[in-house]
Amino acid sequence: MFEELFERWDGEEAVVRYDRESGAWMFVCVHSTVLGPAGGGTRMRVYPTPADGLADAMKLSQAMTVKMAGADLGRGGGKAVLAVPELPAGEARRALLLRYGDLVASLGGTYRTAGDMNITPQDLDVVKERCAYVYGTTGGGGNSARGTAIAVHAGLQAAAEHAFGSADLGGRTVLVQGAGAVGADLVTLLQADGADVLVSDVDEARAEATGARVVAADDVYETECDIYAPCAVGGTLNADTIPHLRCRIVGGSANNQLSEPADSKRLHERGILYAPDFIINAGGVIQLVGLEDRGWDEDELQRNLRSVGDTLREIFGRGGDPADAAEQLAAERIAQKRDEALT
Ligand SMILES: NC(=O)c1ccc[n+]([C@@H]2O[C@H](COP(=O)([O-])OP(=O)(O)OC[C@H]3O[C@@H](n4cnc5c(N)ncnc54)[C@H](O)[C@@H]3O)[C@@H](O)[C@H]2O)c1
């Protein structure tokens, strides 16, 4: 079963380790190091089978390569999965994370980790006891939601400029789906612009706490607005929802917003400008790499976060489906680096 997955995957290398003591499988997938060391978070999850965990790590590592290339950070893409029989707690969790730290350390910096599903900054502190290549610890680059929201905001301004001829979001109606860490910060930035902000969250109290006008979670896809900003979960753009959308722009922080690749064409055909998720939501990695590796001050951080808007201007300027244009931009950056290395 693993062999089939490796045949289909186009990454550089992967490490598979079975951890007898916990029954966990550790998968570290280094998809590409052409642009630099492979960066990407570690996900801890219970999967139906170990192969599902490996497949997830492979798919996510590929997406990280494109995301890192778009963010232009001198980083490649990778991802790790700890496929556990059940989520461990206490000493067992600590022991597993220490052994995982040893594994990442043994790769000598080829793969550099941060948090993902079920991995907290406190967990990363434990991994860091054994390994230097860890981002997003409690003493690290801080809450990445802040950087993510700033970059999404810059991306929405670029999208507004392309769609409406002005980057000014004042007076625009923006529907933010998800009033969590990123969504709530984004609402604040939009309110400061003078935008008419609508917000929706399955936890209505969270939505209300933002002070924006609340839309029921079920009504999001039928609500008229200029911009729909998915900041909750993936898969909200699909064959069922896209025909109902009454917006001109889609752009938000959620990962994997498209249910399937064809959804970006569906949006394009409906005349809806889509800011590809892996470009507009790169603020978190930009913040972590900038603060932890590059020693940026606040001005440099802000400038780099807002450069996500420039990347989107370039992508929109290419015409056609922006998801294709973004993939193309990433592929070009990787090909150029590969050529430089050969000459
Ligand atoms: N935090 C980051 O730095 C970062 C970076 C890149 C991408 N993302 C992605 O952005 C999204 C939001 O991240 P976050 O850190 O704000 O997460 P979060 O968990 O803090 O917030 C998510 C919010 O969405 C709400 N929600 C869940 N399902 C919903 C639904 N169907 N409709 C409306 N609301 C719903 C939750 O109640 C919660 O308030 C996630 O998809 C995440 O993967 C986050």
Short mmCIF file of all heavy atoms in Angstrom, two decimals, residues 114-176:
data_model
loop_
_atom_site.label_atom_id
_atom_site.label_comp_id
_atom_site.label_asym_id
_atom_site.label_seq_id
_atom_site.Cartn_x
_atom_site.Cartn_y
_atom_site.Cartn_z
N ALA A 114 6.54 23.14 12.30
CA ALA A 114 5.76 24.08 13.10
C ALA A 114 4.51 23.30 13.52
O ALA A 114 4.46 22.09 13.34
CB ALA A 114 5.40 25.31 12.27
N GLY A 115 3.52 23.99 14.03
CA GLY A 115 2.31 23.31 14.48
C GLY A 115 1.31 23.10 13.35
O GLY A 115 1.35 23.76 12.34
N ASP A 116 0.44 22.14 13.54
CA ASP A 116 -0.71 21.93 12.66
C ASP A 116 -1.77 21.29 13.56
O ASP A 116 -1.67 21.34 14.78
CB ASP A 116 -0.31 21.04 11.46
CG ASP A 116 -1.35 21.06 10.34
OD1 ASP A 116 -1.28 21.95 9.49
OD2 ASP A 116 -2.23 20.18 10.31
N MET A 117 -2.72 20.62 12.96
CA MET A 117 -3.82 20.04 13.73
C MET A 117 -3.34 19.24 14.95
O MET A 117 -2.45 18.39 14.83
CB MET A 117 -4.58 19.11 12.78
CG MET A 117 -5.95 18.71 13.23
SD MET A 117 -6.66 17.58 12.00
CE MET A 117 -7.04 18.69 10.68
N ASN A 118 -3.89 19.56 16.12
CA ASN A 118 -3.59 18.85 17.38
C ASN A 118 -2.15 19.00 17.88
O ASN A 118 -1.71 18.22 18.73
CB ASN A 118 -3.92 17.35 17.28
CG ASN A 118 -5.41 17.11 17.13
OD1 ASN A 118 -6.21 17.77 17.78
ND2 ASN A 118 -5.79 16.19 16.27
N ILE A 119 -1.42 19.97 17.35
CA ILE A 119 -0.08 20.24 17.87
C ILE A 119 -0.03 21.69 18.34
O ILE A 119 -0.18 22.62 17.53
CB ILE A 119 1.01 19.99 16.78
CG1 ILE A 119 1.07 18.51 16.40
CG2 ILE A 119 2.37 20.47 17.25
CD1 ILE A 119 1.68 17.58 17.44
N THR A 120 0.18 21.88 19.62
CA THR A 120 0.14 23.21 20.22
C THR A 120 1.56 23.79 20.34
O THR A 120 2.55 23.05 20.24
CB THR A 120 -0.45 23.13 21.65
OG1 THR A 120 0.47 22.33 22.44
CG2 THR A 120 -1.82 22.49 21.67
N PRO A 121 1.67 25.10 20.61
CA PRO A 121 2.99 25.68 20.88
C PRO A 121 3.70 24.94 22.04
O PRO A 121 4.92 24.76 22.01
CB PRO A 121 2.68 27.13 21.24
CG PRO A 121 1.41 27.42 20.50
CD PRO A 121 0.62 26.15 20.55
N GLN A 122 2.93 24.47 23.03
CA GLN A 122 3.53 23.73 24.16
C GLN A 122 4.10 22.39 23.69
O GLN A 122 5.16 21.96 24.15
CB GLN A 122 2.49 23.49 25.27
CG GLN A 122 2.08 24.74 26.05
CD GLN A 122 1.17 25.69 25.28
OE1 GLN A 122 0.56 25.34 24.28
NE2 GLN A 122 1.08 26.93 25.75
N ASP A 123 3.41 21.74 22.76
CA ASP A 123 3.94 20.50 22.18
C ASP A 123 5.25 20.79 21.45
O ASP A 123 6.22 20.00 21.52
CB ASP A 123 2.96 19.89 21.16
CG ASP A 123 1.71 19.32 21.83
OD1 ASP A 123 1.80 18.87 22.98
OD2 ASP A 123 0.64 19.32 21.19
N LEU A 124 5.28 21.90 20.73
CA LEU A 124 6.49 22.25 19.97
C LEU A 124 7.65 22.56 20.91
O LEU A 124 8.81 22.30 20.58
CB LEU A 124 6.20 23.43 19.03
CG LEU A 124 5.20 23.10 17.92
CD1 LEU A 124 4.76 24.36 17.19
CD2 LEU A 124 5.78 22.09 16.92
N ASP A 125 7.35 23.11 22.09
CA ASP A 125 8.41 23.33 23.09
C ASP A 125 9.09 21.99 23.43
O ASP A 125 10.31 21.93 23.59
CB ASP A 125 7.82 23.90 24.40
CG ASP A 125 7.41 25.36 24.27
OD1 ASP A 125 7.79 25.99 23.26
OD2 ASP A 125 6.72 25.86 25.17
N VAL A 126 8.29 20.93 23.53
CA VAL A 126 8.84 19.61 23.85
C VAL A 126 9.71 19.11 22.69
O VAL A 126 10.84 18.65 22.89
CB VAL A 126 7.70 18.59 24.15
CG1 VAL A 126 8.28 17.22 24.41
CG2 VAL A 126 6.85 19.07 25.33
N VAL A 127 9.20 19.25 21.46
CA VAL A 127 9.98 18.82 20.28
C VAL A 127 11.30 19.58 20.26
O VAL A 127 12.36 19.01 19.96
CB VAL A 127 9.17 19.06 18.97
CG1 VAL A 127 9.99 18.64 17.75
CG2 VAL A 127 7.85 18.29 19.00
N LYS A 128 11.24 20.85 20.62
CA LYS A 128 12.44 21.70 20.57
C LYS A 128 13.52 21.28 21.58
O LYS A 128 14.69 21.61 21.43
CB LYS A 128 12.05 23.17 20.76
CG LYS A 128 13.18 24.12 20.50
CD LYS A 128 12.78 25.34 19.72
CE LYS A 128 14.03 26.03 19.20
NZ LYS A 128 13.75 27.19 18.42
N GLU A 129 13.11 20.54 22.59
CA GLU A 129 14.12 20.05 23.55
C GLU A 129 15.13 19.15 22.86
O GLU A 129 16.25 18.96 23.31
CB GLU A 129 13.44 19.26 24.69
CG GLU A 129 12.68 20.15 25.66
CD GLU A 129 12.03 19.32 26.77
OE1 GLU A 129 12.61 18.29 27.19
OE2 GLU A 129 10.92 19.70 27.20
N ARG A 130 14.72 18.54 21.75
CA ARG A 130 15.58 17.58 21.05
C ARG A 130 16.03 18.04 19.67
O ARG A 130 16.80 17.37 19.02
CB ARG A 130 14.83 16.25 20.89
CG ARG A 130 14.55 15.53 22.19
CD ARG A 130 15.84 14.98 22.79
NE ARG A 130 15.63 14.40 24.09
CZ ARG A 130 15.17 13.17 24.30
NH1 ARG A 130 14.89 12.38 23.28
NH2 ARG A 130 15.01 12.71 25.53
N CYS A 131 15.46 19.18 19.21
CA CYS A 131 15.64 19.50 17.80
C CYS A 131 15.62 21.01 17.61
O CYS A 131 14.75 21.69 18.16
CB CYS A 131 14.47 18.84 17.06
SG CYS A 131 14.33 19.30 15.36
N ALA A 132 16.54 21.54 16.81
CA ALA A 132 16.62 22.99 16.63
C ALA A 132 15.63 23.51 15.59
O ALA A 132 15.31 24.68 15.57
CB ALA A 132 18.04 23.37 16.20
N TYR A 133 15.13 22.62 14.74
CA TYR A 133 14.38 23.09 13.56
C TYR A 133 12.87 23.14 13.84
O TYR A 133 12.08 22.45 13.21
CB TYR A 133 14.67 22.17 12.37
CG TYR A 133 16.16 21.93 12.20
CD1 TYR A 133 16.72 20.68 12.49
CD2 TYR A 133 16.99 22.96 11.80
CE1 TYR A 133 18.08 20.47 12.36
CE2 TYR A 133 18.35 22.77 11.68
CZ TYR A 133 18.89 21.52 11.97
OH TYR A 133 20.24 21.32 11.85
N VAL A 134 12.52 23.96 14.81
CA VAL A 134 11.13 24.03 15.25
C VAL A 134 10.68 25.49 15.31
O VAL A 134 11.35 26.32 15.92
CB VAL A 134 10.97 23.40 16.65
CG1 VAL A 134 9.50 23.38 17.06
CG2 VAL A 134 11.53 21.99 16.69
N TYR A 135 9.55 25.80 14.68
CA TYR A 135 8.98 27.15 14.67
C TYR A 135 7.65 27.14 15.41
O TYR A 135 6.99 26.11 15.46
CB TYR A 135 8.73 27.61 13.23
CG TYR A 135 10.00 27.74 12.42
CD1 TYR A 135 10.67 26.61 11.97
CD2 TYR A 135 10.51 28.99 12.10
CE1 TYR A 135 11.83 26.72 11.23
CE2 TYR A 135 11.67 29.11 11.35
CZ TYR A 135 12.33 27.96 10.92
OH TYR A 135 13.48 28.07 10.19
N GLY A 136 7.28 28.31 15.95
CA GLY A 136 5.96 28.43 16.55
C GLY A 136 5.88 27.87 17.97
O GLY A 136 4.80 27.53 18.45
N THR A 137 7.03 27.80 18.67
CA THR A 137 7.01 27.41 20.08
C THR A 137 6.44 28.57 20.90
O THR A 137 6.21 29.66 20.36
CB THR A 137 8.44 27.11 20.57
OG1 THR A 137 9.23 28.29 20.35
CG2 THR A 137 9.06 25.94 19.84
N THR A 138 6.26 28.36 22.19
CA THR A 138 5.69 29.44 23.02
C THR A 138 6.60 30.67 23.02
O THR A 138 6.12 31.80 23.13
CB THR A 138 5.45 28.98 24.47
OG1 THR A 138 6.68 28.44 24.97
CG2 THR A 138 4.38 27.91 24.55
N GLY A 139 7.90 30.44 22.89
CA GLY A 139 8.82 31.59 22.88
C GLY A 139 9.17 32.04 21.47
O GLY A 139 10.06 32.85 21.27
N GLY A 140 8.46 31.53 20.48
CA GLY A 140 8.82 31.79 19.08
C GLY A 140 8.16 33.02 18.50
O GLY A 140 8.02 34.05 19.16
N GLY A 141 7.73 32.91 17.25
CA GLY A 141 7.23 34.06 16.49
C GLY A 141 5.81 34.49 16.81
O GLY A 141 5.23 35.28 16.09
N GLY A 142 5.28 33.99 17.90
CA GLY A 142 3.96 34.46 18.36
C GLY A 142 2.81 33.85 17.59
O GLY A 142 2.99 32.96 16.77
N ASN A 143 1.64 34.37 17.88
CA ASN A 143 0.41 33.87 17.30
C ASN A 143 0.36 34.21 15.80
O ASN A 143 0.26 35.38 15.43
CB ASN A 143 -0.75 34.53 18.06
CG ASN A 143 -2.08 34.20 17.45
OD1 ASN A 143 -2.17 33.37 16.55
ND2 ASN A 143 -3.11 34.87 17.93
N SER A 144 0.43 33.18 14.97
CA SER A 144 0.52 33.44 13.53
C SER A 144 -0.80 33.94 12.95
O SER A 144 -0.83 34.40 11.80
CB SER A 144 1.00 32.20 12.80
OG SER A 144 0.05 31.17 12.94
N ALA A 145 -1.89 33.85 13.72
CA ALA A 145 -3.17 34.32 13.19
C ALA A 145 -3.12 35.81 12.88
O ALA A 145 -3.74 36.28 11.92
CB ALA A 145 -4.27 34.04 14.21
N ARG A 146 -2.37 36.54 13.64
CA ARG A 146 -2.28 37.99 13.44
C ARG A 146 -1.67 38.28 12.05
O ARG A 146 -2.22 39.03 11.26
CB ARG A 146 -1.41 38.60 14.55
CG ARG A 146 -1.17 40.08 14.38
CD ARG A 146 -0.37 40.64 15.55
NE ARG A 146 0.23 41.90 15.16
CZ ARG A 146 1.50 42.05 14.81
NH1 ARG A 146 2.32 41.03 14.82
NH2 ARG A 146 1.97 43.23 14.45
N GLY A 147 -0.53 37.62 11.77
CA GLY A 147 0.12 37.81 10.47
C GLY A 147 -0.76 37.32 9.33
O GLY A 147 -0.80 37.92 8.26
N THR A 148 -1.46 36.23 9.59
CA THR A 148 -2.34 35.70 8.55
C THR A 148 -3.43 36.72 8.21
O THR A 148 -3.72 36.97 7.04
CB THR A 148 -2.98 34.37 9.02
OG1 THR A 148 -1.92 33.47 9.37
CG2 THR A 148 -3.83 33.74 7.95
N ALA A 149 -4.02 37.31 9.24
CA ALA A 149 -5.10 38.28 9.00
C ALA A 149 -4.58 39.51 8.26
O ALA A 149 -5.24 40.02 7.34
CB ALA A 149 -5.74 38.69 10.34
N ILE A 150 -3.40 39.98 8.61
CA ILE A 150 -2.84 41.18 7.94
C ILE A 150 -2.61 40.88 6.46
O ILE A 150 -2.92 41.68 5.58
CB ILE A 150 -1.53 41.62 8.63
CG1 ILE A 150 -1.84 42.14 10.04
CG2 ILE A 150 -0.80 42.68 7.81
CD1 ILE A 150 -0.61 42.35 10.91
N ALA A 151 -2.07 39.69 6.16
CA ALA A 151 -1.81 39.33 4.76
C ALA A 151 -3.12 39.13 4.00
O ALA A 151 -3.23 39.53 2.83
CB ALA A 151 -0.95 38.07 4.71
N VAL A 152 -4.12 38.53 4.63
CA VAL A 152 -5.42 38.37 3.95
C VAL A 152 -6.00 39.75 3.63
O VAL A 152 -6.49 40.00 2.52
CB VAL A 152 -6.42 37.56 4.82
CG1 VAL A 152 -7.83 37.64 4.25
CG2 VAL A 152 -5.99 36.10 4.93
N HIS A 153 -5.88 40.66 4.58
CA HIS A 153 -6.39 42.02 4.38
C HIS A 153 -5.71 42.66 3.16
O HIS A 153 -6.37 43.23 2.28
CB HIS A 153 -6.14 42.82 5.66
CG HIS A 153 -6.63 44.23 5.59
ND1 HIS A 153 -5.76 45.30 5.61
CD2 HIS A 153 -7.86 44.76 5.48
CE1 HIS A 153 -6.45 46.43 5.53
NE2 HIS A 153 -7.73 46.12 5.45
N ALA A 154 -4.38 42.54 3.08
CA ALA A 154 -3.64 43.10 1.94
C ALA A 154 -4.09 42.41 0.64
O ALA A 154 -4.21 43.06 -0.41
CB ALA A 154 -2.14 42.91 2.14
N GLY A 155 -4.34 41.11 0.71
CA GLY A 155 -4.78 40.36 -0.45
C GLY A 155 -6.16 40.81 -0.92
O GLY A 155 -6.42 40.91 -2.12
N LEU A 156 -7.05 41.11 0.03
CA LEU A 156 -8.40 41.56 -0.35
C LEU A 156 -8.34 42.95 -0.98
O LEU A 156 -9.11 43.25 -1.90
CB LEU A 156 -9.32 41.56 0.87
CG LEU A 156 -9.62 40.17 1.46
CD1 LEU A 156 -10.60 40.27 2.63
CD2 LEU A 156 -10.19 39.23 0.39
N GLN A 157 -7.42 43.78 -0.51
CA GLN A 157 -7.27 45.10 -1.14
C GLN A 157 -6.82 44.93 -2.60
O GLN A 157 -7.32 45.61 -3.49
CB GLN A 157 -6.25 45.94 -0.37
CG GLN A 157 -6.78 46.41 0.98
CD GLN A 157 -5.74 47.19 1.77
OE1 GLN A 157 -4.56 46.88 1.73
NE2 GLN A 157 -6.21 48.20 2.50
N ALA A 158 -5.87 44.01 -2.82
CA ALA A 158 -5.39 43.78 -4.19
C ALA A 158 -6.52 43.24 -5.07
O ALA A 158 -6.66 43.63 -6.23
CB ALA A 158 -4.22 42.79 -4.18
N ALA A 159 -7.33 42.36 -4.50
CA ALA A 159 -8.44 41.79 -5.26
C ALA A 159 -9.47 42.87 -5.59
O ALA A 159 -10.00 42.93 -6.71
CB ALA A 159 -9.10 40.65 -4.47
N ALA A 160 -9.73 43.76 -4.62
CA ALA A 160 -10.69 44.84 -4.85
C ALA A 160 -10.17 45.77 -5.96
O ALA A 160 -10.93 46.22 -6.82
CB ALA A 160 -10.92 45.63 -3.56
N GLU A 161 -8.86 46.01 -5.94
CA GLU A 161 -8.27 46.87 -6.97
C GLU A 161 -8.50 46.25 -8.35
O GLU A 161 -8.85 46.94 -9.30
CB GLU A 161 -6.77 46.98 -6.67
CG GLU A 161 -6.05 48.05 -7.44
CD GLU A 161 -4.60 48.09 -7.00
OE1 GLU A 161 -4.34 48.21 -5.78
OE2 GLU A 161 -3.73 47.96 -7.87
N HIS A 162 -8.31 44.94 -8.44
CA HIS A 162 -8.47 44.27 -9.72
C HIS A 162 -9.95 44.24 -10.15
O HIS A 162 -10.27 44.49 -11.31
CB HIS A 162 -7.93 42.84 -9.62
CG HIS A 162 -7.86 42.16 -10.95
ND1 HIS A 162 -6.84 42.36 -11.84
CD2 HIS A 162 -8.72 41.30 -11.56
CE1 HIS A 162 -7.05 41.65 -12.93
NE2 HIS A 162 -8.19 40.99 -12.79
N ALA A 163 -10.82 43.95 -9.21
CA ALA A 163 -12.23 43.77 -9.58
C ALA A 163 -12.99 45.09 -9.69
O ALA A 163 -13.88 45.22 -10.54
CB ALA A 163 -12.92 42.87 -8.54
N PHE A 164 -12.64 46.04 -8.81
CA PHE A 164 -13.44 47.29 -8.77
C PHE A 164 -12.66 48.52 -9.20
O PHE A 164 -13.20 49.62 -9.22
CB PHE A 164 -13.98 47.53 -7.35
CG PHE A 164 -14.75 46.38 -6.77
CD1 PHE A 164 -14.38 45.81 -5.55
CD2 PHE A 164 -15.87 45.86 -7.41
CE1 PHE A 164 -15.09 44.75 -4.99
CE2 PHE A 164 -16.58 44.80 -6.86
CZ PHE A 164 -16.19 44.25 -5.65
N GLY A 165 -11.35 48.37 -9.41
CA GLY A 165 -10.54 49.53 -9.80
C GLY A 165 -10.05 50.36 -8.63
O GLY A 165 -9.39 51.38 -8.82
N SER A 166 -10.35 49.94 -7.40
CA SER A 166 -9.85 50.66 -6.22
C SER A 166 -9.60 49.68 -5.08
O SER A 166 -10.44 48.81 -4.82
CB SER A 166 -10.87 51.70 -5.75
OG SER A 166 -10.54 52.13 -4.44
N ALA A 167 -8.46 49.85 -4.42
CA ALA A 167 -8.10 48.97 -3.31
C ALA A 167 -8.81 49.36 -2.02
O ALA A 167 -8.73 48.64 -1.02
CB ALA A 167 -6.59 48.99 -3.10
N ASP A 168 -9.51 50.48 -2.06
CA ASP A 168 -10.17 50.97 -0.84
C ASP A 168 -11.35 50.06 -0.49
O ASP A 168 -12.27 49.89 -1.29
CB ASP A 168 -10.66 52.41 -1.10
CG ASP A 168 -11.25 53.03 0.14
OD1 ASP A 168 -11.24 52.38 1.21
OD2 ASP A 168 -11.73 54.18 0.04
N LEU A 169 -11.31 49.47 0.70
CA LEU A 169 -12.39 48.57 1.11
C LEU A 169 -13.51 49.33 1.85
O LEU A 169 -14.52 48.73 2.22
CB LEU A 169 -11.84 47.44 1.98
CG LEU A 169 -10.84 46.51 1.26
CD1 LEU A 169 -10.21 45.51 2.23
CD2 LEU A 169 -11.50 45.78 0.10
N GLY A 170 -13.31 50.62 2.04
CA GLY A 170 -14.34 51.44 2.70
C GLY A 170 -15.64 51.36 1.92
O GLY A 170 -15.63 51.51 0.70
N GLY A 171 -16.72 51.07 2.60
CA GLY A 171 -18.02 51.00 1.94
C GLY A 171 -18.30 49.66 1.27
O GLY A 171 -19.43 49.40 0.87
N ARG A 172 -17.29 48.81 1.12
CA ARG A 172 -17.53 47.49 0.54
C ARG A 172 -18.16 46.56 1.57
O ARG A 172 -17.82 46.63 2.77
CB ARG A 172 -16.20 46.85 0.08
CG ARG A 172 -15.51 47.61 -1.00
CD ARG A 172 -16.04 47.25 -2.37
NE ARG A 172 -15.58 48.20 -3.36
CZ ARG A 172 -16.29 48.60 -4.41
NH1 ARG A 172 -17.50 48.13 -4.60
NH2 ARG A 172 -15.78 49.46 -5.27
N THR A 173 -19.01 45.69 1.12
CA THR A 173 -19.62 44.71 2.03
C THR A 173 -18.76 43.45 2.02
O THR A 173 -18.55 42.85 0.97
CB THR A 173 -21.05 44.36 1.57
OG1 THR A 173 -21.76 45.57 1.39
CG2 THR A 173 -21.75 43.50 2.59
N VAL A 174 -18.25 43.09 3.18
CA VAL A 174 -17.37 41.92 3.29
C VAL A 174 -17.97 40.94 4.28
O VAL A 174 -18.24 41.30 5.43
CB VAL A 174 -15.95 42.31 3.75
CG1 VAL A 174 -15.02 41.10 3.67
CG2 VAL A 174 -15.39 43.46 2.93
N LEU A 175 -18.17 39.70 3.84
CA LEU A 175 -18.73 38.68 4.73
C LEU A 175 -17.60 37.75 5.19
O LEU A 175 -17.01 37.03 4.37
CB LEU A 175 -19.79 37.88 3.97
CG LEU A 175 -20.77 37.05 4.80
CD1 LEU A 175 -21.88 36.53 3.91
CD2 LEU A 175 -20.14 35.90 5.54
N VAL A 176 -17.29 37.80 6.46
CA VAL A 176 -16.22 36.96 7.02
C VAL A 176 -16.86 35.72 7.63
O VAL A 176 -17.67 35.81 8.56
CB VAL A 176 -15.41 37.74 8.08
CG1 VAL A 176 -14.32 36.85 8.68
CG2 VAL A 176 -14.79 39.00 7.47
#
